[in-house]
Every structure is written in C-alpha cells, then in structure tokens.
Amino acid sequence: WSSDVCSSDLLHDAPDGRNINAGCGSTDPEPLARAVVASGADAGLAFDGDADRIVMVDAGGAIVDGDEILALLALVGYPLAVEPLLGNSEQVMAWSWLYALFALGFTLIFGTFKILNLAHAGVFMSGAFIGYFAVQAGIPLWIALLLAMIGSGIVSYIVELGAFATIRGSGQIEFGALISSIGANLCLMSIGQRLSNTKVLRFPFETFPVEFYEFGPVRFSFLQVVILLVVIVLLAAMMFFLYKTSFGRQIRAVSGNE
C-alpha cells in the first residue's frame, strides 16, 4: 500500500487457519524488527491474530511494547492514553482482593493438611462451565450460580477422593499431593477443552444488566461493582470465620504450629 504521504509493506499476511501468531505478530516481533532494519523503514507495527494488541519497532529495530507506547502518549498529553489505566483501577482492585482469597486458601490448606492443591484452577473452571450451561438451558442466573457452587464443590470432593485420599498414609503427602493435583487439573482441563471444543465461551449478552457509571475519568460497569462487593463480603466472612469462631482459631493454630 502506498500514497503521497507514506508507503507500507505487509508481512505474514497469508493466514491458513493454523499459522496465526506463528513466528510473527506482537507475540514474536523479532522478524518484523529484522525486516524494518533490512528495508530501511521508518517504523514497523506488529499486531496479534485478532488485532487487539500492538507492538511497535523503531527505525533501528528496537521493540516498543504497549506499556512504552502508553507512556509516550501520556507524556505528550494524549488523554485517551491515561483513561484506560484509570478505568481499569476498579477492576484491578477486585482481582487483587480475589487473589488475596486464593492466597489465603492455599496457605491454610497447605499449613493444615500439607497439601498444595494445584487443581484449584480446574475446580473453578468446572463451576464456570456448570453455570454457563445452566444459563444456556434457560435457568435463571441466581439458580445457575447456586448450581455452579454446588457442582464445583462436588468436583472438589471427587478430586479429594481420587487425588489425595489414597496417598495420605504414604508418608510423602507433600510431593505426592503436588504431582497428583497437577494430574487432576490436567484431567479437568482436558474435559473442559472437550466440552468447549477449545473455543472461548461467553455467557449470553443479556445474562447480566449492562450498565456503566462514570466517576471523573474512571468508567466502570455494574458487573465490576458487583464483583468487587462480592469479593469484599467473602473476604470479610473468611476473616470473621478465622478470627472470631472457635473452629477458625483451631485451624489457624494447627496451620501456625505446622
């Protein structure tokens, strides 16, 4: 493509359904950097398969990633470069608190039972699948959430019976449980890939109210607010259980003693 202002050359523009991001694009910009230097171009732009990510290359072949691009735009006073960062602050906060719950669960389970359960991801994924298929079947969202929690609890119990119960008396529970939980997680992931045909599944658009709010330069959705509030409630309930109930104090005592 060319015009009176500039011209450009396309690279790796012959997809066949199997070569997406293969040795090219924003996930592997090195070939673009070499091509920019070899052709004497002023710059190069690398996109990923669906063009929602960009990495740039300058005339000298240096790679400029997305963080650096945002920083450069912010330095020259481009407002849209700062707004996405501010708009994500509420979402980052929600995910941070959610990870705090995960970390607390890992610490308590390992400290109390000497089990590092790496099948947590597969268990959570199973709950997501149960909720998704329940909604697709026409079940109301709140019932689907209950089914997802109950179903993931059942899956977790099956993992306990199949991956941990048989090795508790072996004397090698730490290492054995680690390997066993990895195998259990791989099994759950394989089942999920078979159910989804390795495609990204999304809940129907009308499943949850689509509303947005603005507070200064920050824009957030109703769903993000709900996620943040749920995480806060769960974290508060967990802390109350651990510090204000007799059973919770016993768990902390055993975990700390071990």
Side-chain angles (χ1 to χ4, degrees):
W1 177 84
S2 63
S3 69
D4 295 336
V5 179
C6 65
S7 62
S8 64
D9 295 322
L10 296 177
L11 304 175
H12 308 285
D13 58 335
D16 60 6
R18 296 185 299 273
N19 61 353
I20 304 298
N21 294 331
C24 63
S26 60
T27 57
D28 190 2
E30 293 293 341
L32 174 64
R34 292 192 292 267
V36 168
V37 174
S39 63
D42 295 316
L45 305 178
F47 301 95
D48 68 341
D50 56 356
D52 65 352
R53 189 188 319 169
I54 182 174
V55 170
M56 301 182 69
V57 176
D58 67 14
I63 297 173
V64 183
D65 63 20
D67 293 335
E68 293 172 308
I69 295 172
L70 284 174
L72 291 172
L73 292 174
L75 287 175
V76 300
Y78 191 62
L80 294 180
V82 182
E83 289 179 3
L85 302 179
L86 295 175
N88 286 334
S89 59
E90 188 271 342
Q91 185 173 358
V92 169
M93 183 182 300
W95 279 107
S96 299
W97 287 33
L98 187 60
Y99 287 142
L101 281 176
F102 291 162
L104 184 61
F106 274 117
T107 302
L108 287 174
I109 293 175
F110 183 75
T112 306
F113 300 105
K114 292 301 181 183
I115 291 177
L116 183 58
N117 185 3
L118 298 182
H120 272 306
V123 172
F124 282 109
M125 178 202 67
S126 66
F129 270 106
I130 293 170
Y132 170 79
F133 287 116
V135 170
Q136 290 284 23
I139 298 175
L141 178 62
W142 69 273
I143 298 180
L145 292 176
L146 292 176
L147 292 176
M149 289 186 283
I150 295 172
S152 59
I154 294 174
V155 171
S156 181
Y157 183 68
I158 294 174
V159 171
E160 160 67 23
L161 293 179
F164 304 131
T166 57
I167 61 174
R168 289 191 185 279
S170 64
Q172 298 291 332
I173 185 63
E174 294 96 337
F175 183 73
L178 176 66
I179 301 301
S180 185
S181 67
I182 292 175
N185 188 64
L186 289 175
C187 291
L188 293 173
M189 296 295 290
S190 297
I191 294 173
Q193 290 176 342
R194 178 62 62 89
L195 291 175
S196 64
N197 291 322
T198 65
K199 296 179 180 178
V200 177
L201 301 180
R202 300 181 183 275
F203 282 82
F205 185 75
E206 68 279 1
T207 302
F208 201 83
V210 181
E211 299 179 9
F212 292 90
Y213 309 96
E214 293 185 2
F215 185 76
V218 180
R219 185 172 185 265
F220 49 88
S221 68
F222 180 59
L223 178 60
Q224 290 175 324
V225 174
V226 171
I227 292 175
L228 180 59
L229 293 177
V230 169
V231 171
I232 292 175
V233 171
L234 290 176
L235 187 58
M238 177 67 73
M239 299 307 293
F240 177 84
F241 170 74
L242 291 174
Y243 286 90
K244 298 299 182 180
T245 66
S246 175
F247 189 52
R249 287 191 289 268
Q250 293 175 32
I251 292 176
R252 289 194 297 114
V254 173
S255 179
N257 183 60
E258 293 291 338

